[in-house]
Each structure stands twice: as C-alpha cells, then as structure tokens.
Amino acid sequence: GKDLSFLHATAGSCPMRAKRLAAIQRERDAAAWAAHEQVQRENRARADEQRAKAAQEHAEQVAADQAVQKWLDEEAAQEAAELTIKQQARRDMENQRIAWLARETERLTMKKAAQEQCELDAAQKQNERAALAEKNAEERARQR
C-alpha cells in the first residue's frame, strides 16, 4: 500500500493528482469489496457444508434408530409368536386331556352299564329259573 498523504495534501492544487487519488481509492474500494464478497462466499460454503453434514448425521441417526426399532419389533414379534406357540401347545395338551377324560368317563360309564345289565340279566334268569322250578314243583305235585 502506497502512502497517499502526499496526494491528499496536494490534490486540491492539481487536478491530475485528484484524478489519480480517486482512481487509487476506487481500486482499493473494489479490492476491499471483492475480499468482502470472497469472505461471504467462503462463509456461505462453510455453512452449507455444516448444514449438509448435520443433515447427513441426522439421516444416519434416524436410520440407526429405525434399525433398532425394527430389530426390537422383530424380537417382540418373535417372542409373541413363541408365546402363542407355547400357549397353543398348552391348549392342545389340555384339550387332549379333556378328550381322554371324556373317553375314559364314557368307557367307565359303559362298563358300569354293562355290569348292571349283566346283573339285571342274571337276576332275570334267576327269577325265570325260580319261576320254572316253582312251576315244575307245582306240576310234580299235581302229577302225584
């Protein structure tokens, strides 16, 4: 940078110096403006980079959270399925036990009914034999 104090001091008496001073001032202003714009562009670029990085990190975090949630949901679904299978197996065993008890009850009921029928038949036959014996005895008594 040139020292412009001489030009400033003598510009009033010399139009050429005034023009020269104005040109130098315009160059300095343009350079300062260009530097200012360059800084602004760099700041905008840095801010854009930071926004992009933050967006990328956010997207990665969301994806990670979703992956964890998906895994948790799958685990819960797996546990629910296993629980359902266990419950179904328990229900099936219970139903088999109930069916067995029903069959066993029926078998015992039939056995008891058959036994009672047998006893009734035996009593009936005994009664018939007794009646026949009584009839035979009466018949013999009449023949005497």
Side-chain angles (χ1 to χ4, degrees):
K2 299 172 191 165
D3 181 18
L4 299 182
S5 56
F6 172 74
L7 281 177
H8 278 293
T10 58
S13 61
C14 183
M16 287 300 288
R17 284 188 184 150
K19 280 185 180 173
R20 176 90 181 107
L21 183 64
I24 290 171
Q25 197 59 53
R26 278 195 304 275
E27 279 176 28
R28 284 187 171 181
D29 290 350
W33 181 250
H36 168 74
E37 284 190 324
Q38 181 62 31
V39 168
Q40 291 290 81
R41 276 194 299 275
E42 287 170 5
N43 287 345
R44 277 195 296 274
R46 242 191 323 278
D48 289 347
E49 269 178 41
Q50 286 173 345
R51 271 195 298 277
K53 186 178 175 191
Q56 175 69 26
E57 286 171 359
H58 176 71
E60 288 169 3
Q61 185 60 51
V62 167
D65 290 348
Q66 287 174 340
V68 167
Q69 190 58 52
K70 182 176 185 244
W71 180 80
L72 289 173
D73 291 347
E74 286 169 359
E75 284 292 299
Q78 181 70 27
E79 283 177 21
E82 287 170 8
L83 191 61
T84 302
I85 289 168
K86 284 180 190 166
Q87 287 171 339
Q88 188 60 50
R90 218 175 288 125
R91 270 197 295 272
D92 289 348
M93 281 177 52
E94 191 64 23
N95 288 339
Q96 287 171 2
R97 215 169 59 97
I98 289 168
W100 178 84
L101 284 171
R103 284 193 307 273
E104 195 60 14
T105 302
E106 174 134 359
R107 186 183 70 77
L108 291 173
T109 303
M110 296 291 277
K111 185 177 176 185
K112 187 174 181 193
Q115 222 170 350
E116 287 174 358
Q117 190 60 53
C118 239
E119 289 169 7
L120 281 175
D121 288 350
Q124 182 74 30
K125 281 184 182 149
Q126 200 173 347
N127 286 344
E128 286 172 6
R129 278 197 296 275
L132 190 59
E134 198 178 314
K135 191 176 167 192
N136 286 344
E138 286 176 6
E139 192 63 40
R140 278 196 299 277
R142 259 202 299 275
Q143 286 175 358
R144 286 190 193 135

